[in-house]
Amino acid sequence: MLDRVTEMVTDVMTSNGLDVEDFISVIFTATSDLVAEFPAYAARQLGFGEVPLICARELEIEGSMPRVVRMMAHVETDLPRSEITHVYLHGAAALRSDLTRVRAVPDAGE
């Protein structure tokens, strides 16, 4: 879980040109089948020690996707909303195909 949350947070930062100092606060949610660790712990390991973080549980709706962690970050940026990159990794891209941008994936040789 920590590896995947770290991947998500760093991808959000890289995709939007953000540093830890740009974050005002972050809300993480996780589905009820994820109980190994708090998602915020991964952010703390990335240097988010002074950023308010909170974890919450996703609603348990019949047929919803299992094993999902979401992140809603409040940030300071000069980017207009239309240029914000929303990150959906792995199977979670199906959750919001309208916001997911297809990115080239480097092959194993790169």
Side-chain angles (χ1 to χ4, degrees), residues 6-94:
T6 297
E7 178 185 10
M8 176 177 58
V9 173
T10 55
D11 201 352
V12 165
M13 293 172 71
T14 302
S15 297
N16 292 290
L18 299 171
D19 295 316
V20 172
E21 296 79 29
D22 298 322
F23 286 77
I24 298 166
S25 62
V26 181
I27 300 169
F28 291 98
T29 64
T31 52
S32 62
D33 51 354
L34 296 175
V35 296
E37 189 57 79
F38 291 103
Y41 182 64
R44 295 271 181 244
Q45 291 181 317
L46 290 171
F48 282 69
E50 295 182 7
V51 178
L53 307 173
I54 191 168
C55 297
R57 185 66 69 205
E58 280 284 330
L59 294 174
E60 294 187 32
I61 305 299
E62 187 174 329
S64 61
M65 186 179 289
R67 301 183 56 79
V68 174
V69 175
R70 293 182 188 207
M71 170 185 173
M72 182 167 58
H74 306 95
V75 300
E76 292 189 49
T77 180
D78 291 329
L79 289 175
R81 185 177 298 162
S82 62
E83 291 182 27
I84 298 289
T85 299
H86 299 273
V87 174
Y88 291 85
L89 301 173
H90 309 285

